[in-house]
mmCIF file of all heavy atoms in Angstrom:
data_model
loop_
_atom_site.group_PDB
_atom_site.id
_atom_site.type_symbol
_atom_site.label_atom_id
_atom_site.label_comp_id
_atom_site.label_asym_id
_atom_site.label_seq_id
_atom_site.Cartn_x
_atom_site.Cartn_y
_atom_site.Cartn_z
ATOM 1 N N ARG A 773 11.415 145.226 236.109
ATOM 2 C CA ARG A 773 11.976 144.000 236.680
ATOM 3 C C ARG A 773 12.418 142.981 235.641
ATOM 4 O O ARG A 773 13.420 142.310 235.836
ATOM 5 C CB ARG A 773 11.040 143.379 237.702
ATOM 6 C CG ARG A 773 9.778 142.811 237.159
ATOM 7 C CD ARG A 773 8.940 142.241 238.285
ATOM 8 N NE ARG A 773 7.644 141.877 237.767
ATOM 9 C CZ ARG A 773 6.596 141.666 238.508
ATOM 10 N NH1 ARG A 773 6.690 141.771 239.817
ATOM 11 N NH2 ARG A 773 5.463 141.327 237.959
ATOM 12 N N ASP A 774 11.693 142.853 234.530
ATOM 13 C CA ASP A 774 12.119 141.892 233.505
ATOM 14 C C ASP A 774 13.500 142.248 232.975
ATOM 15 O O ASP A 774 14.340 141.369 232.786
ATOM 16 C CB ASP A 774 11.106 141.829 232.357
ATOM 17 C CG ASP A 774 9.814 141.127 232.751
ATOM 18 O OD1 ASP A 774 9.842 140.311 233.706
ATOM 19 O OD2 ASP A 774 8.785 141.391 232.118
ATOM 20 N N ALA A 775 13.749 143.536 232.753
ATOM 21 C CA ALA A 775 15.060 143.970 232.261
ATOM 22 C C ALA A 775 16.148 143.654 233.285
ATOM 23 O O ALA A 775 17.255 143.233 232.910
ATOM 24 C CB ALA A 775 15.031 145.463 231.948
ATOM 25 N N LEU A 776 15.864 143.848 234.560
ATOM 26 C CA LEU A 776 16.838 143.548 235.611
ATOM 27 C C LEU A 776 17.187 142.062 235.626
ATOM 28 O O LEU A 776 18.360 141.682 235.669
ATOM 29 C CB LEU A 776 16.295 143.970 236.978
ATOM 30 C CG LEU A 776 17.192 143.693 238.182
ATOM 31 C CD1 LEU A 776 18.421 144.595 238.155
ATOM 32 C CD2 LEU A 776 16.419 143.899 239.472
ATOM 33 N N VAL A 777 16.166 141.232 235.555
ATOM 34 C CA VAL A 777 16.375 139.777 235.604
ATOM 35 C C VAL A 777 17.125 139.292 234.363
ATOM 36 O O VAL A 777 18.042 138.470 234.467
ATOM 37 C CB VAL A 777 15.024 139.046 235.770
ATOM 38 C CG1 VAL A 777 15.183 137.551 235.591
ATOM 39 C CG2 VAL A 777 14.414 139.361 237.129
ATOM 40 N N VAL A 778 16.771 139.818 233.200
ATOM 41 C CA VAL A 778 17.442 139.417 231.962
ATOM 42 C C VAL A 778 18.901 139.877 231.966
ATOM 43 O O VAL A 778 19.789 139.146 231.524
ATOM 44 C CB VAL A 778 16.691 139.974 230.723
ATOM 45 C CG1 VAL A 778 17.510 139.830 229.459
ATOM 46 C CG2 VAL A 778 15.357 139.271 230.570
ATOM 47 N N ALA A 779 19.159 141.072 232.501
ATOM 48 C CA ALA A 779 20.516 141.612 232.510
ATOM 49 C C ALA A 779 21.457 140.819 233.420
ATOM 50 O O ALA A 779 22.638 140.662 233.092
ATOM 51 C CB ALA A 779 20.495 143.072 232.939
ATOM 52 N N GLU A 780 20.944 140.339 234.551
ATOM 53 C CA GLU A 780 21.795 139.623 235.501
ATOM 54 C C GLU A 780 21.048 138.432 236.117
ATOM 55 O O GLU A 780 20.739 138.433 237.307
ATOM 56 C CB GLU A 780 22.276 140.575 236.595
ATOM 57 C CG GLU A 780 23.131 141.713 236.055
ATOM 58 C CD GLU A 780 23.795 142.497 237.156
ATOM 59 O OE1 GLU A 780 24.757 141.968 237.757
ATOM 60 O OE2 GLU A 780 23.323 143.616 237.417
ATOM 61 N N PRO A 781 20.795 137.403 235.330
ATOM 62 C CA PRO A 781 20.004 136.261 235.823
ATOM 63 C C PRO A 781 20.681 135.459 236.930
ATOM 64 O O PRO A 781 20.003 134.745 237.668
ATOM 65 C CB PRO A 781 19.779 135.408 234.576
ATOM 66 C CG PRO A 781 20.897 135.782 233.654
ATOM 67 C CD PRO A 781 21.209 137.226 233.947
ATOM 68 N N ALA A 782 21.984 135.582 237.078
ATOM 69 C CA ALA A 782 22.667 134.870 238.166
ATOM 70 C C ALA A 782 22.394 135.534 239.511
ATOM 71 O O ALA A 782 22.492 134.889 240.552
ATOM 72 C CB ALA A 782 24.163 134.810 237.910
ATOM 73 N N LYS A 783 22.051 136.823 239.498
ATOM 74 C CA LYS A 783 21.787 137.573 240.723
ATOM 75 C C LYS A 783 20.308 137.705 241.023
ATOM 76 O O LYS A 783 19.884 137.576 242.161
ATOM 77 C CB LYS A 783 22.320 139.002 240.604
ATOM 78 C CG LYS A 783 23.754 139.195 240.821
ATOM 79 C CD LYS A 783 24.047 140.692 240.803
ATOM 80 C CE LYS A 783 25.515 140.929 240.630
ATOM 81 N NZ LYS A 783 25.841 142.346 240.582
ATOM 82 N N PHE A 784 19.532 138.042 239.997
ATOM 83 C CA PHE A 784 18.135 138.423 240.186
ATOM 84 C C PHE A 784 17.188 137.421 239.549
ATOM 85 O O PHE A 784 17.496 136.846 238.512
ATOM 86 C CB PHE A 784 17.888 139.815 239.586
ATOM 87 C CG PHE A 784 18.754 140.880 240.182
ATOM 88 C CD1 PHE A 784 19.853 141.379 239.494
ATOM 89 C CD2 PHE A 784 18.488 141.377 241.448
ATOM 90 C CE1 PHE A 784 20.666 142.358 240.050
ATOM 91 C CE2 PHE A 784 19.300 142.353 242.020
ATOM 92 C CZ PHE A 784 20.390 142.838 241.314
ATOM 93 N N HIS A 785 16.025 137.256 240.180
ATOM 94 C CA HIS A 785 15.003 136.394 239.606
ATOM 95 C C HIS A 785 13.625 136.908 239.995
ATOM 96 O O HIS A 785 13.467 137.656 240.963
ATOM 97 C CB HIS A 785 15.198 134.935 240.010
ATOM 98 C CG HIS A 785 15.352 134.716 241.474
ATOM 99 N ND1 HIS A 785 16.527 134.893 242.141
ATOM 100 C CD2 HIS A 785 14.460 134.352 242.412
ATOM 101 C CE1 HIS A 785 16.374 134.635 243.423
ATOM 102 N NE2 HIS A 785 15.109 134.322 243.626
#
Side-chain angles (χ1 to χ4, degrees):
R773 68 181 172 197
D774 288 336
L776 179 69
V777 171
V778 168
E780 298 190 73
K783 280 186 196 179
F784 301 104
H785 51 279

